[in-house]
């Protein structure tokens, strides 16, 4: 049962780009909020000070904006009750709660250096039968800094309760998961410089922002247990949790930008995938609704819930993504696709904005194009001056009787009062009937002369899209070549 008007969040670490996995997490949280009339909160976990630059933050915002995943609260949409929405602007809050836990004996200052911890871990790992390293409690009972140390040298560790016990939660995707206290140690909550670590900062923020549900990747399952211990120590009720399946690359390894360029959301914008298609593809990497493949935003909001999320990893399928993109070429109004096509044509040096041929081009090419880049590449033939002939096609269709038919077609085309599809197709029919040949005998020489090859939309559409002046010029060039 979903809470009334739930508050859910997407809390990325802005480290350079919006990852596909992050986009899916944002989408699932967004849909849950929208379905149940809740609030979608965007929070930046920007504590990696080397990588969390303004440019990295902008990359996250740009990706979400392109996908249309608008947040109700967050950067630019601050609520004074819950903000600020950058962790680096909340350091006093983390310090306040850490001091409270220390005063209650539920956390302590630890002066062990990173090098000392590393040496102890390596020693445990080398010793046979000793298991994985757990902090030994070296600084448990210190009343102040040891000799040679200062208070500001200390990290703050959570103090695990003594004795036996377990911690468990009922995950909305994975079911009940339990871990023994003995598998957890006194984990670091805050660094010496006051920067919170993930398990600490997210708990403080989620509670103070009144988050009802935390949906995130399965790689965070083990992080949930220390977080639950912290909720218990603070006397707070934890949110519900939903851990989403991994997304694997085509090589069946976890999708990562280092190995898989497609992990970057904005790469798909650059290659001509539309946001509707990418969201449609991403939601199916871990969630299903019967056998539905092409799913609109409205259907996503109506249908989404975590009972449709699977526990097995989704595998990236570029062919499926391109197929979905083509379906969205047909679903969206031609004017929308045409507007998005313009930058790809301009990148090829064409002044396409405002061109009346754009929507007819989309209608003519959407059955043959899988991406906007591919559509622009095909459409280039209609914008440039002149054409390069495919020699094999020219040898077959621009010689002998074909040239005579092309010449007759050219004369009738030039005499047309209106350059529209019906009379253009009519010329092909008239010439073929007069010569007592099939229409293809006239259309193919025209097609090769106009486009350079034997493949294009209908010949009337092709002539229309090229335009009267350019079409006649290309036919003349083909005729001159054949003489």
């Amino acid at each position: 049962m979903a809470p009334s008007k739930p508050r859910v969040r997407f809390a990325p670490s802005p480290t350079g780009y919006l990852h596909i996995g992050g986009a899916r997490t944002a989408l699932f949280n967004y849909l849950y909020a929208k379905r149940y009339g809740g609030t979608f909160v965007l929070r930046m976990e920007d504590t990696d000070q080397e990588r969390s630059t303004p440019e990295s933050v902008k990359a996250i915002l740009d990706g979400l904006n392109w996908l249309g995943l608008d947040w109700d609260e967050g950067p630019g949409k601050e609520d004074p009750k819950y903000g600020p929405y950058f962790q680096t602007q909340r350091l006093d809050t983390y310090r306040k709660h850490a001091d409270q836990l220390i005063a209650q004996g539920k956390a302590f200052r630890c002066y062990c250096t990173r090098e000392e911890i590393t040496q102890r871990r390596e020693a445990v790992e080398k010793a046979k039968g000793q298991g994985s390293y757990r902090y030994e409690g070296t600084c448990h009972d210190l009343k102040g800094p040891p000799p040679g140390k200062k208070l500001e040298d200390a990290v703050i560790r959570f103090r695990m309760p003594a004795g036996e016990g377990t911690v468990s939660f009922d995950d909305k995707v994975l079911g009940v998961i339990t871990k023994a206290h003995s598998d957890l140690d006194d984990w670091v909550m805050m660094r010496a410089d006051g920067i919170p670590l993930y398990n600490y900062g997210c708990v403080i923020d989620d509670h103070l922002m009144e988050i009802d549900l935390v949906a995130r990747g399965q790689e965070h399952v083990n992080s949930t247990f220390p977080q639950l211990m912290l909720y218990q120590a603070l006397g707070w009720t934890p949110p519900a949790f939903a851990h989403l399946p991994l997304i694997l690359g085509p090589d069946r390894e976890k999708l990562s930008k280092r190995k898989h360029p497609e992990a970057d959301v904005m790469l798909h914008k650059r290659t001509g995938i539309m946001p509707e298609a990418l969201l449609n593809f991403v939601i199916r990497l871990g969630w299903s609704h019967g056998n539905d493949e092409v799913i609109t935003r409205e259907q996503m909001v109506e249908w989404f819930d975590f009972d449709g999320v699977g526990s097995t990893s989704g595998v990236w399928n570029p062919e499926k993504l391109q197929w979905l993109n083509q379906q969205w070429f047909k679903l969206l109004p031609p004017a929308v696709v045409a507007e998005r096509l313009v930058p790809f044509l301009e990148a090829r040096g064409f002044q396409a904005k405002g061109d009346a041929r754009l929507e007819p081009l989309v209608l003519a090419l959407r059955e043959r194009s899988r991406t906007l880049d591919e559509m622009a590449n095909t459409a280039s033939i209609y914008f440039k001056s002149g054409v390069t002939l495919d020699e094999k096609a020219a040898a077959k269709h621009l010689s002998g009787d074909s040239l005579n038919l092309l010449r007759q077609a050219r004369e009738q085309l030039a005499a047309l009062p209106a350059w529209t599809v019906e009379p253009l197709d009519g010329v092909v029919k008239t010439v073929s009937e007069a010569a007592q040949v099939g229409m293809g005998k006239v259309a193919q020489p025209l097609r090769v002369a106009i486009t350079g090859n034997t493949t294009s939309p209908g010949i009337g559409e092709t002539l229309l899209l090229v335009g009267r002046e350019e079409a006649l010029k290309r036919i003349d060039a083909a005729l001159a070549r054949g003489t």
Side-chain angles (χ1 to χ4, degrees), residues 136-156:
E136 307 91 338
T138 306
C139 300
H140 264 180
D141 301 319
L142 291 180
K143 303 302 182 186
K149 301 283 187 177
K150 297 177 291 187
L151 197 66
E152 54 266 31
D153 294 331
V155 301
I156 297 177

Side-chain angles (χ1 to χ4, degrees), residues 151-219:
L151 197 66
E152 54 266 31
D153 294 331
V155 301
I156 297 177
R157 288 183 180 269
F158 180 80
R159 187 190 297 270
M160 278 295 297
E164 298 297 320
T166 59
V167 57
S168 65
F169 66 101
D170 190 356
D171 190 273
K172 283 182 168 289
V173 176
L174 303 173
V176 176
I177 311 174
T178 302
K179 188 178 283 288
H181 286 182
S182 57
D183 290 332
L184 303 171
D185 69 352
D186 299 331
W187 49 279
V188 176
M189 294 166 35
M190 285 179 60
R191 298 190 332 217
D193 59 4
I195 298 295
L197 271 67
Y198 172 71
N199 284 339
Y200 177 62
C202 72
V203 167
I204 303 301
D205 292 339
D206 286 342
H207 175 76
L208 296 180
M209 293 182 182
E210 300 182 13
I211 299 300
D212 299 296
L213 172 98
V214 172
R216 55 192 178 191
Q218 282 184 12
E219 64 270 24

Side-chain angles (χ1 to χ4, degrees), residues 236-471:
W236 295 343
T237 301
F241 292 93
H243 287 91
L244 314 176
L246 298 177
I247 300 177
L248 307 181
D251 57 0
R252 300 300 197 274
E253 293 191 25
K254 183 181 176 182
L255 195 71
S256 68
K257 192 177 180 183
R258 183 175 61 84
K259 292 183 178 179
H260 310 103
E262 58 268 35
D264 183 355
V265 163
M266 296 305 273
L267 170 73
H268 303 287
K269 180 183 180 182
R270 296 190 293 273
T271 57
I273 298 295
M274 297 191 298
E276 295 85 355
L278 188 59
L279 285 177
N280 192 160
F281 178 73
V282 163
I283 196 174
R284 295 287 286 108
L285 291 174
W287 175 87
S288 63
H289 183 270
N291 295 320
D292 293 284
E293 294 285 356
V294 181
I295 307 173
T296 66
R297 177 77 64 96
E298 293 74 21
Q299 289 170 328
M300 291 180 191
V301 171
E302 179 184 353
W303 296 339
F304 181 79
D305 213 329
F306 288 97
D307 56 6
V309 177
S311 58
T312 57
S313 300
V315 180
W316 189 269
N317 184 334
E319 290 78 20
K320 185 63 170 289
L321 174 58
Q322 291 186 348
W323 177 83
L324 280 170
N325 204 50
Q326 189 174 51
Q327 305 314 302
W328 278 95
F329 282 156
K330 303 171 192 175
L331 280 174
L332 290 169
V336 172
V337 181
E339 182 181 359
R340 295 174 183 176
L341 180 63
V342 168
F344 291 88
L345 290 167
E346 290 179 342
R348 288 164 168 79
F350 305 122
Q351 297 300 314
K353 190 173 180 63
D355 196 302
R357 296 174 295 171
L358 283 171
E359 288 188 46
L361 263 173
V362 168
L363 290 170
L365 301 180
R366 64 187 183 180
E367 294 285 350
R368 297 174 172 83
S369 306
R370 296 169 299 172
T371 68
L372 289 169
D373 190 62
E374 195 174 281
M375 186 180 287
N377 195 51
T378 304
S380 297
I381 196 77
Y382 303 102
F383 285 89
K384 63 186 181 182
S385 177
V387 68
T388 301
L389 298 176
D390 177 84
E391 288 301 325
K392 187 175 180 180
K396 181 176 181 180
H397 297 287
L398 297 179
S399 60
D401 292 341
S402 295
L403 276 179
N404 187 44
L405 293 170
L406 182 62
R407 190 173 292 108
Q408 293 176 47
R410 196 272 184 212
E411 291 173 1
Q412 293 193 33
L413 288 170
L416 285 177
W419 196 263
T420 57
V421 171
E422 188 173 347
L424 291 169
D425 282 334
V427 166
V428 175
K429 183 178 181 182
T430 299
V431 172
S432 64
E433 288 177 347
Q436 297 184 335
V437 297
M439 291 178 64
K441 294 290 185 179
V442 181
Q444 281 300 76
L446 274 171
R447 184 171 280 110
V448 173
I450 297 296
T451 69
N453 56 59
T454 58
T455 303
S456 79
I459 192 62
E461 288 179 285
T462 301
L463 288 162
L464 173 69
L465 293 169
V466 171
R468 181 194 296 267
E469 182 179 347
E470 180 65 22

